[in-house]
Amino acid sequence: KILNVSEQNIRESSLDFFPKHASSTKVLIATEGPAAYEKIFYSEQYWRLVDDLFSNLTRSISIKYHPSLQNKPLGIESPFESFWPIEFIMNNTPIVLGVYSASLIAASQNKHTKVISLLNLVEWKTEDLKIEAKSFLDSDNVAKKRILYPQTTDELYFLLDS
């Protein structure tokens, strides 16, 4: 007997395992893996920005930690287990934020999701690393057209409110 499994079947059968909070999340922050914070960009500025978002946004905001990120800075708890695939969680999320993870590319494939990269709002260890990260995000034709790159925190908040 051949097992016929489609992505839609998996998605539908998996929804029972994810909390109802996933459907009420309006802004989802997808964190990077630990190597990003150690070698690619400076984490202090990133975590200050995340803390600011949690403090100031009136919308329902949640964070999804990368599975290999052991330390949860700022003590912000996530309603999602780190091992859950973010693709299931962000499927119905109106806004997904991240720096340069593949999650942003995946989110950009959903035409109902606004995808925002914080690439210009964090301090990079080198300009070459920043260019490489942007090239990675632009490597997907849909993502290249749909991912937004605010230049300032004011612009970020404008995008979050529009």
Side-chain angles (χ1 to χ4, degrees), residues 77-105:
E77 290 300 317
S78 174
F80 312 113
E81 295 291 340
S82 63
F83 61 84
W84 289 348
I86 195 168
E87 290 76 11
F88 290 118
I89 298 166
M90 69 184 177
N91 191 40
N92 294 314
T93 303
I95 302 172
V96 175
L97 296 174
V99 179
Y100 76 99
S101 75
S103 300
L104 295 179
I105 294 173

Side-chain angles (χ1 to χ4, degrees), residues 11-83:
R11 193 175 299 277
E12 288 170 2
S13 65
S14 299
L15 290 177
D16 292 337
F17 294 103
F18 301 109
K20 298 293 180 203
H21 188 77
S23 62
S24 67
T25 295
K26 303 299 179 218
V27 178
L28 178 64
I29 298 174
T31 66
E32 313 300 319
Y37 307 113
E38 296 165 7
K39 301 175 184 171
I40 300 176
F41 60 84
Y42 295 100
S43 62
E44 298 83 18
Q45 187 179 19
Y46 170 79
W47 290 113
R48 276 196 308 272
L49 179 57
V50 169
D51 187 44
D52 187 56
L53 289 167
F54 270 90
S55 298
N56 295 317
L57 280 183
T58 56
R59 298 174 178 225
S60 172
I61 182 170
S62 297
I63 192 165
K64 164 59 174 77
Y65 291 105
H66 189 278
S68 61
L69 188 63
Q70 300 300 317
N71 183 19
K72 296 180 175 54
L74 309 175
I76 298 171
E77 290 300 317
S78 174
F80 312 113
E81 295 291 340
S82 63
F83 61 84

